[in-house]
């Protein structure tokens, strides 16, 4: 990290304004961190951090800041995870926490907000399952303590 922890503008490797208060701590520091799994994460390489890729989907499930109440990180379908390599991490390579993907799609004509929350519920009004599948493809995790997730559905 090129900036000192006492810097008033860069604060070590944390850029001011991020929601991740744990980013530069050993609590859950990660090479890639996000509240929502909706982004495509393709062809990345991470090594020797606490976590390789950490999706903290349930921590702030309805968003924060301007997005609060307009998104659903807990239920939004996952983007494309393809061709990533995570190795040598103290904890997880790929780490997805508190994630229950549903047919809870952002509306691209409405700034990515959820405009129809009916797909975010566990079941439709007819009792059908609203869950969707998730796929991680062509990715490699090795020499990390763990790979996986907690609280998934």
């Amino acid at each position: 990290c090129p900036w000192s922890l006492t810097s008033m503008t860069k604060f070590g490797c944390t850029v001011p304004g991020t929601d991740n208060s744990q980013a530069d701590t050993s609590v859950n520091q990660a090479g890639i961190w996000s509240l929502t799994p909706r982004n495509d994460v393709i062809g990345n390489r991470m090594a020797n951090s606490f976590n390789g890729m950490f999706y903290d989907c349930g921590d702030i499930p309805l968003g924060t800041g301007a997005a609060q109440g307009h998104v659903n990180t807990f239920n939004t379908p996952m983007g494309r995870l393809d061709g990533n390599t995570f190795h040598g991490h103290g904890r997880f390579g790929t780490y997805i926490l508190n994630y229950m993907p549903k047919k809870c799609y952002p509306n691209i004509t409405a700034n990515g907000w959820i405009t129809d929350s009916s797909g975010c519920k566990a079941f439709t009004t007819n009792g059908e399952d609203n869950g969707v599948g998730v796929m991680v493809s062509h990715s490699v995790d090795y020499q990390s303590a763990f790979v996986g997730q907690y609280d998934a559905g």
Side-chain angles (χ1 to χ4, degrees):
C1 177
W3 302 287
S4 71
L5 291 174
T6 58
S7 168
M8 295 310 293
T9 56
K10 295 294 183 180
F11 302 102
C13 290
T14 300
V15 176
T18 181
D19 290 337
N20 187 355
S21 63
Q22 300 175 1
D24 284 333
T25 70
S26 62
V27 177
N28 272 316
Q29 179 267 341
I32 298 173
W33 172 86
S34 181
L35 288 174
T36 180
R38 189 66 184 157
N39 296 314
D40 293 338
V41 179
I42 302 167
N44 295 281
R45 306 290 180 262
M46 298 292 153
N48 300 322
S49 60
F50 198 65
N51 291 297
M53 181 195 71
F54 179 28
Y55 281 166
D56 194 5
C57 306
D59 190 43
I60 307 173
L62 298 179
T64 184
Q68 188 170 14
H70 300 288
V71 298
N72 187 320
T73 64
F74 188 66
N75 299 126
T76 301
M78 189 171 287
R80 184 176 160 204
L81 295 179
D82 192 2
N84 299 293
T85 300
F86 303 111
H87 69 87
H89 301 286
R91 195 155 156 80
F92 285 85
T94 301
Y95 184 22
I96 303 166
L97 183 62
N98 300 315
Y99 183 50
M100 309 283 180
K102 308 278 185 284
K103 296 173 186 166
C104 185
Y105 296 103
N107 184 335
I108 61 171
T109 63
N111 198 31
W113 298 154
I114 304 290
T115 56
D116 178 7
S117 63
S118 64
C120 303
K121 298 178 176 145
F123 300 99
T124 67
T125 54
N126 297 332
E128 297 170 355
D129 187 358
N130 254 340
V132 296
V134 170
M135 182 173 75
V136 177
S137 60
H138 306 105
S139 295
V140 178
D141 280 72
Y142 66 97
Q143 293 179 339
S144 297
F146 309 105
V147 174
Q149 66 188 68
Y150 297 109
D151 303 322

